[in-house]
Amino acid sequence: MATNILDNIDLRVLGELLQQARKKCGMTQSDAAKVIDAARTTMVAIEKGERRIKPTELIKLARAYGRSVSDFVRPRPVIQPFEVQFRAAYQRSEEEEVQIEPAILRLEELCRNYLELEEIMDAPLPQNYPCEYEVTNMPIRAAAESIAVAERQRLGLGDGPIPRLRDILEQDVGLRIFYLEMPQKYSEVYSYDERLGGCMAINANHPEERRRWSLAHGYLHFLAHRRKPVFHFEGQYQRVPESERLADTFPKYFLMPTSGLLKRFNDMYRMHGKFTPTNLFTLAHYYGVSVEALVYRLEEMELLPSGTWHRLRDRGLKVRKVQQELGLKEIPQHTDMTPLHYQHLAIEALDQGLITEGRFADFLSVDRLEARRIAEALREYSSGMAEETTHFDLRQLQE
């Protein structure tokens, strides 16, 4: 006898998913009730899990919400909608709402996928979270540098550059970081969920130096204002709040620690008897920051005269052109939309037959043809060896 899949579904979970999908569409319960030709009270009961939904009603609602039926009947983790938290954190204009909403929804969906992959593989992302830093009534600069020094020490980063910042924040801290397409003025979206932990979306359209800066900016929100979601774009505030000023200040100390930068500047100065524009560009590339950010940092440390950046700019400095002339290659980074751990979970789930090729393509947001190409690349990246040789204990390896 055929089994109705709806008979085995938790009605409260299904109702919550339907409610979230309806709200994302901007539909009221009355609107949704009309779709299934029922009273609003029926829709209320369905979303509360008090009334069993009929298959035909689910099909109609899924179509009205722009979703597939499988989005509601497939076992998936339930998380709180990110956009509700963001509305509580900041009252955006309607225009800003339209611009940033797709990125927030995309981040939410990817984080839900991440959690689903972890549950499929029984491999949760380890969380190495420090206690939130207390910064109330502290001077901004002192607080920012103090947190930067403490975090570098906690993560064992010394006083050098952090070339793979994204990987460290994901694998050593346990944040979920995605690179998403956003309008140019947006830099980053940060949110926190009790099940997911810290989540970030970084603007994929920005150059790598700026993405790294945005990563550090969002990391400070996680460190000092963990449960206060925020999105960052230029011109956001008429009067910048203290939390945002702290997040703006933190990256320069985290990415360019005072002790290391001072040592390297002095080494260059002693070697050449002067500090040249070539030294400046080389040092900026070394730390993976923009030339402008480095100049301001050196001005602040009184290693360069105040106003150096403006004078360089007035002389017509072309940063990219000089970088090319000096042969400074782009900063090596893993710039895929999804993080490495996410991709590895997906390919392992596919190889173990726990998800279909179609679902694998969904997780990576590509078509099946591209999914096959990525799968091959990931397998090659993951092992570089035959499958049967990848699981032995290297500690037991003998000649």
Side-chain angles (χ1 to χ4, degrees):
M1 186 173 66
T3 302
N4 185 345
I5 193 170
L6 294 177
D7 292 340
N8 301 315
I9 285 182
D10 186 324
L11 295 182
R12 286 177 300 178
V13 173
L14 175 59
E16 188 169 346
L17 291 174
L18 286 167
Q19 184 185 57
Q20 291 177 6
R22 175 179 58 76
K23 288 181 176 178
K24 285 177 185 175
C25 293
M27 294 177 67
T28 66
Q29 287 178 321
S30 296
D31 295 333
K34 291 177 183 175
V35 172
I36 59 174
D37 194 23
R40 192 186 73 83
T41 51
T42 301
M43 199 63 225
V44 172
I46 290 174
E47 291 187 353
K48 286 184 176 178
E50 296 172 348
R51 192 272 214 182
R52 183 173 298 280
I53 191 170
K54 300 173 184 175
T56 53
E57 293 173 337
L58 180 58
I59 293 170
K60 289 178 180 177
L61 287 176
R63 190 176 299 153
Y65 298 157
R67 307 284 290 274
S68 66
V69 172
S70 65
D71 289 339
F72 300 101
V73 299
R74 185 178 67 244
R76 300 196 68 197
V78 177
I79 60 174
Q80 293 302 309
F82 283 8
E83 72 275 19
V84 175
Q85 299 176 32
F86 277 86
R87 285 198 186 98
Y90 180 73
Q91 295 299 318
R92 306 186 291 273
S93 70
E94 187 173 339
E95 182 182 0
E96 291 165 352
E97 183 101 15
V98 171
Q99 288 180 336
I100 196 63
E101 191 80 0
I104 295 174
L105 294 177
R106 190 75 187 110
L107 175 61
E108 177 189 321
E109 180 65 16
L110 287 167
C111 288
R112 190 201 306 273
N113 287 347
Y114 207 149
L115 195 59
E116 185 176 353
L117 281 170
E118 288 172 33
E119 292 183 351
I120 291 171
M121 295 303 301
D122 191 22
L125 183 65
Q127 294 184 343
N128 177 24
Y129 288 4
C131 294
E132 282 187 72
Y133 288 88
E134 177 55 58
V135 294
T136 306
N137 298 323
M138 286 182 66
I140 295 295
R141 286 187 182 182
E145 183 158 25
S146 173
I147 297 172
V149 170
E151 274 303 291
R152 278 184 158 269
Q153 186 174 14
R154 188 177 76 88
L155 298 173
L157 298 175
D159 66 356
I162 313 175
R164 301 193 71 83
L165 177 61
R166 179 186 182 184
D167 292 341
I168 287 173
L169 295 185
E170 184 197 18
Q171 295 167 24
D172 292 357
V173 180
L175 302 182
R176 304 173 194 279
I177 301 169
F178 297 88
Y179 282 4
L180 304 182
E181 304 277 342
M182 301 184 207
Q184 192 66 20
K185 68 178 182 179
Y186 293 91
S187 298
E188 144 240 335
V189 175
Y190 165 79
S191 189
Y192 184 88
D193 178 271
E194 293 301 330
R195 291 194 69 189
L196 296 167
C199 306
M200 271 196 275
I202 303 298
N203 195 335
N205 294 323
H206 287 171
E208 183 55 30
E209 295 94 331
R210 189 167 175 186
R211 287 196 291 253
R212 288 165 52 79
W213 201 268
S214 300
L215 275 169
H217 183 283
Y219 189 42
L220 186 280
H221 283 300
F222 166 77
L223 294 172
H225 317 105
R226 190 161 302 171
R227 289 169 175 77
K228 184 181 178 183
V230 67
F231 63 98
H232 182 243
F233 69 90
E234 296 173 1
Q236 180 177 358
Y237 302 100
Q238 291 183 340
R239 182 178 180 183
V240 181
E242 183 176 308
S243 60
E244 199 58 31
R245 282 188 287 136
L246 183 64
D248 287 341
T249 308
F250 175 76
K252 63 183 176 184
Y253 294 115
F254 190 57
L255 298 178
M256 298 175 282
T258 302
S259 58
L261 180 56
L262 181 61
K263 177 182 183 304
R264 287 165 182 82
F265 179 91
N266 285 335
D267 286 347
M268 285 181 164
Y269 193 82
R270 279 196 297 270
M271 182 178 296
H272 302 284
K274 56 186 176 181
F275 190 75
T276 66
T278 298
N279 296 143
L280 179 67
F281 276 77
T282 304
L283 198 55
H285 187 265
Y286 178 73
Y287 279 105
V289 299
S290 69
V291 174
E292 180 180 5
L294 177 61
V295 171
Y296 283 135
R297 182 80 168 102
L298 295 175
E299 288 183 18
E300 181 184 280
M301 294 170 67
E302 300 183 348
L303 296 171
L304 290 180
S306 178
T308 296
W309 173 250
H310 294 291
R311 284 191 283 277
L312 286 173
R313 194 176 56 186
D314 291 343
R315 291 187 179 188
L317 179 69
K318 305 292 184 186
V319 172
R320 294 299 178 200
K321 182 180 178 183
V322 176
Q323 288 172 330
Q324 291 173 359
E325 289 174 353
L326 292 174
L328 298 174
K329 297 179 180 178
E330 291 190 6
I331 303 166
Q333 268 291 328
H334 174 62
T335 56
D336 292 350
M337 177 183 72
T338 54
L340 269 179
H341 186 63
Y342 178 104
Q343 295 178 12
H344 289 166
L345 288 176
I347 190 66
E348 287 180 25
L350 176 66
D351 286 348
Q352 293 183 27
L354 299 174
I355 60 174
T356 64
E357 185 182 75
R359 189 65 188 130
F360 176 74
D362 289 342
F363 278 125
L364 297 183
S365 303
V366 297
D367 59 36
R368 292 197 182 205
L369 190 61
E370 178 65 6
R372 289 171 193 156
R373 188 195 67 75
I374 293 175
E376 289 303 316
L378 284 175
R379 291 186 184 107
E380 184 176 351
Y381 181 88
S382 297
S383 64
M385 296 183 288
E387 185 177 355
E388 62 270 18
T389 65
T390 59
H391 300 297
F392 61 79
D393 186 354
L394 285 170
R395 295 171 299 179
Q396 306 298 322
L397 185 62
Q398 298 178 350
E399 292 183 359

Short mmCIF file of all heavy atoms in Angstrom, two decimals, residues 208-231:
data_model
loop_
_atom_site.label_atom_id
_atom_site.label_comp_id
_atom_site.label_asym_id
_atom_site.label_seq_id
_atom_site.Cartn_x
_atom_site.Cartn_y
_atom_site.Cartn_z
N GLU A 208 40.47 41.14 -2.82
CA GLU A 208 40.80 40.30 -1.68
C GLU A 208 41.22 41.10 -0.46
O GLU A 208 40.87 40.76 0.67
CB GLU A 208 41.90 39.31 -2.06
CG GLU A 208 42.27 38.34 -0.96
CD GLU A 208 41.07 37.56 -0.43
OE1 GLU A 208 40.12 37.33 -1.19
OE2 GLU A 208 41.08 37.20 0.76
N GLU A 209 41.96 42.18 -0.66
CA GLU A 209 42.37 42.99 0.50
C GLU A 209 41.15 43.49 1.28
O GLU A 209 41.15 43.47 2.51
CB GLU A 209 43.21 44.19 0.05
CG GLU A 209 44.54 43.83 -0.58
CD GLU A 209 44.42 43.76 -2.09
OE1 GLU A 209 43.31 43.45 -2.58
OE2 GLU A 209 45.44 44.03 -2.76
N ARG A 210 40.14 43.91 0.56
CA ARG A 210 38.95 44.42 1.23
C ARG A 210 38.14 43.30 1.87
O ARG A 210 37.55 43.45 2.92
CB ARG A 210 38.08 45.20 0.23
CG ARG A 210 36.94 45.94 0.90
CD ARG A 210 36.29 46.94 -0.02
NE ARG A 210 35.13 47.55 0.60
CZ ARG A 210 34.30 48.37 -0.02
NH1 ARG A 210 34.54 48.72 -1.28
NH2 ARG A 210 33.26 48.87 0.60
N ARG A 211 38.11 42.15 1.20
CA ARG A 211 37.40 41.00 1.79
C ARG A 211 38.04 40.61 3.12
O ARG A 211 37.35 40.29 4.09
CB ARG A 211 37.40 39.82 0.83
CG ARG A 211 36.49 40.00 -0.37
CD ARG A 211 36.24 38.66 -1.06
NE ARG A 211 37.40 38.13 -1.73
CZ ARG A 211 37.58 38.10 -3.05
NH1 ARG A 211 36.63 38.58 -3.84
NH2 ARG A 211 38.66 37.60 -3.58
N ARG A 212 39.36 40.63 3.18
CA ARG A 212 40.05 40.28 4.42
C ARG A 212 39.72 41.30 5.51
O ARG A 212 39.53 40.95 6.67
CB ARG A 212 41.56 40.23 4.17
CG ARG A 212 41.99 39.02 3.35
CD ARG A 212 43.41 39.18 2.83
NE ARG A 212 44.35 39.54 3.88
CZ ARG A 212 44.86 38.66 4.76
NH1 ARG A 212 44.53 37.39 4.68
NH2 ARG A 212 45.71 39.05 5.67
N TRP A 213 39.65 42.56 5.12
CA TRP A 213 39.31 43.61 6.08
C TRP A 213 37.89 43.38 6.61
O TRP A 213 37.62 43.51 7.81
CB TRP A 213 39.43 44.98 5.42
CG TRP A 213 39.60 46.11 6.38
CD1 TRP A 213 38.61 46.88 6.93
CD2 TRP A 213 40.83 46.61 6.93
NE1 TRP A 213 39.14 47.81 7.77
CE2 TRP A 213 40.51 47.68 7.80
CE3 TRP A 213 42.17 46.26 6.78
CZ2 TRP A 213 41.47 48.39 8.50
CZ3 TRP A 213 43.13 46.98 7.49
CH2 TRP A 213 42.78 48.03 8.33
N SER A 214 36.99 43.05 5.71
CA SER A 214 35.59 42.81 6.10
C SER A 214 35.49 41.58 7.01
O SER A 214 34.68 41.54 7.94
CB SER A 214 34.73 42.60 4.86
OG SER A 214 34.76 43.74 4.02
N LEU A 215 36.31 40.55 6.73
CA LEU A 215 36.33 39.37 7.59
C LEU A 215 36.71 39.74 9.02
O LEU A 215 36.07 39.30 9.99
CB LEU A 215 37.34 38.35 7.05
CG LEU A 215 36.87 37.40 5.96
CD1 LEU A 215 38.07 36.66 5.37
CD2 LEU A 215 35.87 36.40 6.52
N ALA A 216 37.76 40.55 9.15
CA ALA A 216 38.20 40.96 10.48
C ALA A 216 37.14 41.84 11.15
O ALA A 216 36.89 41.74 12.35
CB ALA A 216 39.54 41.70 10.38
N HIS A 217 36.52 42.70 10.36
CA HIS A 217 35.45 43.56 10.87
C HIS A 217 34.30 42.72 11.44
O HIS A 217 33.84 42.93 12.57
CB HIS A 217 34.95 44.46 9.73
CG HIS A 217 33.91 45.44 10.11
ND1 HIS A 217 32.58 45.10 10.29
CD2 HIS A 217 33.97 46.77 10.35
CE1 HIS A 217 31.89 46.17 10.61
NE2 HIS A 217 32.70 47.20 10.66
N GLY A 218 33.87 41.74 10.68
CA GLY A 218 32.79 40.87 11.15
C GLY A 218 33.22 40.02 12.33
O GLY A 218 32.41 39.72 13.22
N TYR A 219 34.50 39.65 12.36
CA TYR A 219 34.99 38.83 13.47
C TYR A 219 34.90 39.58 14.79
O TYR A 219 34.61 39.00 15.83
CB TYR A 219 36.43 38.41 13.17
CG TYR A 219 36.99 37.39 14.14
CD1 TYR A 219 36.21 36.32 14.57
CD2 TYR A 219 38.29 37.48 14.61
CE1 TYR A 219 36.72 35.37 15.46
CE2 TYR A 219 38.81 36.54 15.49
CZ TYR A 219 38.01 35.49 15.91
OH TYR A 219 38.52 34.56 16.79
N LEU A 220 35.15 40.88 14.74
CA LEU A 220 35.03 41.67 15.97
C LEU A 220 33.59 41.66 16.48
O LEU A 220 33.36 41.56 17.70
CB LEU A 220 35.51 43.11 15.72
CG LEU A 220 35.60 44.05 16.92
CD1 LEU A 220 34.28 44.65 17.34
CD2 LEU A 220 36.25 43.35 18.13
N HIS A 221 32.63 41.75 15.55
CA HIS A 221 31.23 41.69 16.00
C HIS A 221 30.98 40.37 16.72
O HIS A 221 30.27 40.33 17.73
CB HIS A 221 30.29 41.82 14.80
CG HIS A 221 30.17 43.23 14.32
ND1 HIS A 221 29.70 44.26 15.10
CD2 HIS A 221 30.45 43.79 13.11
CE1 HIS A 221 29.71 45.38 14.42
NE2 HIS A 221 30.16 45.13 13.21
N PHE A 222 31.56 39.30 16.21
CA PHE A 222 31.41 38.01 16.87
C PHE A 222 32.09 38.00 18.24
O PHE A 222 31.56 37.47 19.21
CB PHE A 222 32.03 36.92 15.98
CG PHE A 222 32.24 35.61 16.67
CD1 PHE A 222 31.18 34.74 16.91
CD2 PHE A 222 33.51 35.24 17.12
CE1 PHE A 222 31.37 33.53 17.57
CE2 PHE A 222 33.72 34.05 17.77
CZ PHE A 222 32.65 33.19 18.00
N LEU A 223 33.25 38.62 18.35
CA LEU A 223 34.02 38.60 19.59
C LEU A 223 33.42 39.47 20.68
O LEU A 223 33.48 39.12 21.86
CB LEU A 223 35.46 39.05 19.32
CG LEU A 223 36.31 38.13 18.44
CD1 LEU A 223 37.63 38.81 18.09
CD2 LEU A 223 36.56 36.80 19.13
N ALA A 224 32.85 40.60 20.29
CA ALA A 224 32.42 41.57 21.31
C ALA A 224 30.91 41.78 21.37
O ALA A 224 30.41 42.25 22.39
CB ALA A 224 33.12 42.91 21.05
N HIS A 225 30.20 41.48 20.28
CA HIS A 225 28.74 41.70 20.27
C HIS A 225 28.07 40.52 19.58
O HIS A 225 27.38 40.67 18.59
CB HIS A 225 28.41 43.00 19.52
CG HIS A 225 29.32 44.14 19.85
ND1 HIS A 225 30.30 44.58 19.00
CD2 HIS A 225 29.41 44.89 20.97
CE1 HIS A 225 30.95 45.58 19.57
NE2 HIS A 225 30.44 45.80 20.76
N ARG A 226 28.33 39.35 20.13
CA ARG A 226 28.05 38.09 19.42
C ARG A 226 26.60 37.96 18.96
O ARG A 226 26.34 37.52 17.86
CB ARG A 226 28.41 36.91 20.32
CG ARG A 226 28.39 35.58 19.65
CD ARG A 226 29.18 34.58 20.44
NE ARG A 226 30.56 35.04 20.62
CZ ARG A 226 31.44 34.45 21.41
NH1 ARG A 226 31.09 33.40 22.11
NH2 ARG A 226 32.67 34.90 21.51
N ARG A 227 25.68 38.29 19.79
CA ARG A 227 24.27 38.05 19.46
C ARG A 227 23.59 39.27 18.86
O ARG A 227 22.36 39.36 18.87
CB ARG A 227 23.53 37.56 20.71
CG ARG A 227 23.94 36.15 21.10
CD ARG A 227 23.44 35.73 22.45
NE ARG A 227 23.75 34.32 22.72
CZ ARG A 227 24.96 33.88 23.06
NH1 ARG A 227 25.97 34.71 23.19
NH2 ARG A 227 25.16 32.58 23.28
N LYS A 228 24.37 40.20 18.39
CA LYS A 228 23.81 41.41 17.79
C LYS A 228 24.11 41.39 16.29
O LYS A 228 25.17 41.85 15.86
CB LYS A 228 24.43 42.65 18.42
CG LYS A 228 23.83 43.95 17.91
CD LYS A 228 24.51 45.14 18.58
CE LYS A 228 23.95 46.46 18.04
NZ LYS A 228 24.64 47.62 18.63
N PRO A 229 23.22 40.84 15.49
CA PRO A 229 23.48 40.75 14.05
C PRO A 229 23.58 42.14 13.42
O PRO A 229 22.97 43.09 13.88
CB PRO A 229 22.27 39.99 13.51
CG PRO A 229 21.22 40.17 14.53
CD PRO A 229 21.89 40.32 15.84
N VAL A 230 24.35 42.22 12.36
CA VAL A 230 24.57 43.52 11.72
C VAL A 230 24.99 43.29 10.27
O VAL A 230 25.54 42.25 9.93
CB VAL A 230 25.65 44.32 12.48
CG1 VAL A 230 27.01 43.65 12.34
CG2 VAL A 230 25.72 45.75 12.00
N PHE A 231 24.67 44.23 9.42
CA PHE A 231 25.25 44.23 8.08
C PHE A 231 25.95 45.56 7.91
O PHE A 231 25.55 46.57 8.48
CB PHE A 231 24.20 43.99 7.00
CG PHE A 231 23.16 45.06 6.91
CD1 PHE A 231 23.25 46.07 5.97
CD2 PHE A 231 22.08 45.06 7.77
CE1 PHE A 231 22.29 47.05 5.89
CE2 PHE A 231 21.11 46.05 7.70
CZ PHE A 231 21.22 47.05 6.76
#
